[in-house]
């Protein structure tokens, strides 16, 4: 996960909830967090030199090289995540004008692999199993996905693979944008979940000009990241919207002050996967209605399904 997810997709994820309120709820796939555009695996590069100067500081070139290394590891995690099934529980709190909770709703989904595609199966609403009717509808939806992939023509397959390769290339380019868009500062080292982590602050870099369309949102955020010292893995990121973001000629807006916190966990001694996402969203859709809500998503019960290795779920991981 997710340098791209944490700095952009998580915010788009938050906006999906707000945008979905004006009509029908967004589909599960439209709100999933752990599905970033993924670059193809690359040969791992050595860790950049992190020797501080006489004042205890790192240069911007050193930190940018370090951030690119973290992004490289994140892409490796995304590939390995496809070997796992897991549960995702999403809880949404709608707030009134005074910031008090006026309603709460939750959905629990099982993430499974159908052919070569991750698919979400809704299994519970408000922590209660689906009704017989709703369960039947969900199984019908899943069966349609299975049938579509089973009957995919060679031409359709080629088009799909070409699009996936295009997405991977865009992902590789975006990783460069992440490192270039910010001025970084090494704050220090903190203990997080019993492990040492570098703490890095990032503020929009003056004069930054985005090269990709999606990257235009990056200067609208600042963040603090915790990066595992031993494994150069992103452990936590706290991002804050520092300016209003608009989509589609003001069709939707994400207001200044919205925040997203993202956390990962070490699973099976081989990969770091999503553990928790918390978003506080202040948004407006179609210039008609404001949405103020808290969104909390947890991920658990990771199980590897492509090997016979011993599997350790998130709940069993030694933090």
């Amino acid at each position: 996960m997710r340098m791209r997810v944490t700095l952009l997709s998580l915010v788009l994820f938050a906006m999906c909830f707000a945008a979905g309120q004006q009509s029908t709820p967004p589909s599960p796939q439209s709100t999933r967090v752990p599905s970033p555009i993924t670059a193809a695996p690359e040969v791992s590069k050595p860790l950049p030199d992190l020797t501080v100067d006489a004042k205890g500081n790192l240069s911007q070139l050193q930190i940018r090289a370090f951030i690119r290394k973290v992004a490289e590891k994140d892409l490796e995690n995304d590939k390995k995540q496809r070997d796992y099934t897991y549960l995702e529980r999403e809880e949404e709190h709608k707030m009134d004008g005074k910031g008090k909770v006026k309603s709460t709703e939750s959905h629990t989904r099982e993430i499974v692999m159908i052919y070569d595609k991750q698919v979400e199966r809704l299994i519970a609403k408000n922590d209660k199993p689906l009704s017989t009717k709703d369960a039947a509808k969900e199984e019908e939806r899943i069966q349609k996905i299975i049938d579509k992939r089973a009957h995919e023509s060679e031409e359709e397959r080629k088009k799909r693979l070409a699009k996936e390769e295009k997405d991977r290339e865009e992902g590789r380019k975006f990783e460069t944008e992440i490192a270039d868009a910010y001025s970084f500062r090494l704050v220090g080292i903190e203990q997080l979940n019993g492990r040492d982590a570098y703490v890095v602050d990032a503020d929009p870099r003056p004069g930054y000009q985005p090269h990709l369309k999606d990257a235009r949102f990056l200067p609208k955020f600042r963040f603090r990241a915790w990066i595992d010292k031993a494994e150069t893995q992103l452990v936590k990121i706290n991002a804050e919207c520092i300016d209003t973001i608009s989509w589609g000629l003001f069709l939707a807006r994400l207001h200044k002050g919205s925040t997203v916190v993202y956390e990962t966990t070490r699973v099976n001694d081989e990969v770091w996967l999503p553990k928790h996402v918390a978003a506080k969203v202040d948004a407006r859709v179609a210039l008609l209605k404001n949405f103020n809500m808290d969104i909390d998503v947890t991920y658990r019960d990771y199980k590897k399904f492509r090997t016979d290795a011993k599997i350790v779920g998130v709940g069993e991981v030694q933090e």
Side-chain angles (χ1 to χ4, degrees):
M1 181 167 155
R2 315 205 133 65
M3 294 303 291
R4 179 163 190 170
V5 169
T6 50
L7 294 179
L8 176 63
S9 296
L10 286 183
V11 179
L12 298 179
F13 149 81
M15 281 300 299
C16 284
F17 281 90
Q21 307 304 314
Q22 63 179 333
S23 54
T24 57
S27 65
Q29 287 296 328
S30 69
T31 58
R32 283 199 68 244
V33 175
S35 297
I37 293 175
T38 308
E42 300 179 359
V43 177
S44 182
K45 302 174 184 178
L47 186 66
D49 176 27
L50 295 180
T51 304
V52 298
D53 61 20
K55 296 182 179 180
N57 298 321
L58 293 174
S59 71
Q60 288 299 301
L61 289 177
Q62 284 177 298
I63 299 185
R64 288 196 179 103
F66 181 56
I67 294 299
R68 290 191 178 100
K69 180 65 176 180
V70 176
E72 178 187 325
K73 290 288 190 74
D74 191 58
L75 295 174
E76 295 172 3
N77 288 332
D78 182 68
K79 181 180 179 181
K80 291 177 181 178
Q81 183 181 341
R82 301 174 191 179
D83 291 342
Y84 285 83
T85 63
Y86 52 96
L87 296 181
E88 170 191 290
R89 183 183 182 276
E90 161 201 307
E91 183 171 295
E92 176 186 330
H93 302 276
K94 293 183 180 178
M95 321 298 284
D96 61 20
K98 296 181 180 180
K100 295 183 179 181
V101 177
K102 63 179 182 180
S103 67
T104 298
E105 186 175 74
S106 71
H107 296 83
T108 302
R109 299 181 177 94
E110 179 186 19
I111 314 303
V112 297
M113 184 69 74
I114 294 179
Y115 288 90
D116 56 352
K117 179 181 177 63
Q118 280 188 323
V119 176
E120 295 180 335
R121 184 197 306 270
L122 183 65
I123 60 175
K125 291 182 179 180
N126 298 322
D127 298 321
K128 295 180 180 179
L130 297 183
S131 67
T132 301
K133 182 179 179 180
D134 287 344
K137 287 183 178 179
E138 188 67 6
E139 290 307 312
E140 182 181 357
R141 183 183 68 83
I142 297 296
Q143 189 59 50
K144 287 181 179 179
I145 295 173
I146 294 173
D147 292 343
K148 181 178 180 180
R149 186 54 59 88
H151 296 93
E152 182 181 47
S153 68
E154 184 61 26
E155 182 179 355
E156 290 171 333
R157 179 177 177 275
K158 288 181 179 180
K159 287 182 178 180
R160 175 174 58 82
L161 293 178
K163 182 180 183 303
E164 290 174 358
E165 178 55 33
K166 180 180 178 181
D167 288 344
R168 284 192 289 269
E169 179 59 28
E170 290 178 353
R172 285 191 288 268
K173 292 178 180 178
F174 194 92
E175 301 302 334
T176 300
E177 294 279 328
I178 295 292
D180 293 342
Y182 293 93
S183 296
F184 298 98
R185 182 172 65 91
L186 179 62
V187 178
I189 297 176
E190 292 182 4
Q191 281 266 317
L192 201 63
N193 299 325
R195 298 172 64 96
D196 285 342
Y198 292 109
V199 184
V200 176
D201 278 351
D203 290 288
R205 182 169 65 83
Y208 164 71
Q209 295 295 324
H211 297 95
L212 299 176
K213 181 179 179 180
D214 285 348
R216 71 188 188 277
F217 297 120
L218 294 178
K220 304 286 188 178
F221 296 92
R222 65 183 173 207
F223 66 90
R224 170 169 287 191
W226 288 259
I227 299 165
D228 187 79
K229 184 178 179 181
E231 299 192 13
T232 325
Q233 297 280 1
L234 181 66
V235 182
K236 179 180 178 181
I237 190 166
N238 191 334
E240 178 186 5
C241 184
I242 57 177
D243 195 4
T244 298
I245 297 177
S246 299
W247 281 264
L249 295 176
F250 303 102
L251 176 64
R253 287 183 176 183
L254 184 67
H255 294 152
K256 177 180 178 181
S258 296
T259 61
V260 180
V261 177
Y262 170 75
E263 299 174 271
T264 68
T265 190
R266 192 168 182 262
V267 176
N268 223 31
D269 290 332
E270 68 164 6
V271 62
W272 291 70
L273 298 176
K275 176 183 177 181
H276 179 228
V277 179
K280 293 183 180 295
V281 182
D282 179 10
R284 175 183 288 268
V285 176
L287 301 180
L288 297 176
K289 189 173 182 181
N290 282 322
F291 295 94
N292 187 357
M293 63 185 73
D294 289 352
I295 303 161
D296 193 272
V297 185
T298 54
Y299 305 88
R300 60 184 175 86
D301 294 350
Y302 282 104
K303 294 182 175 61
K304 198 168 185 179
F305 65 92
R306 290 186 178 175
T307 72
D308 295 328
K310 179 182 178 182
I311 305 305
V312 180
V314 169
E316 303 172 44
V317 174
Q318 183 68 38
E319 296 292 338

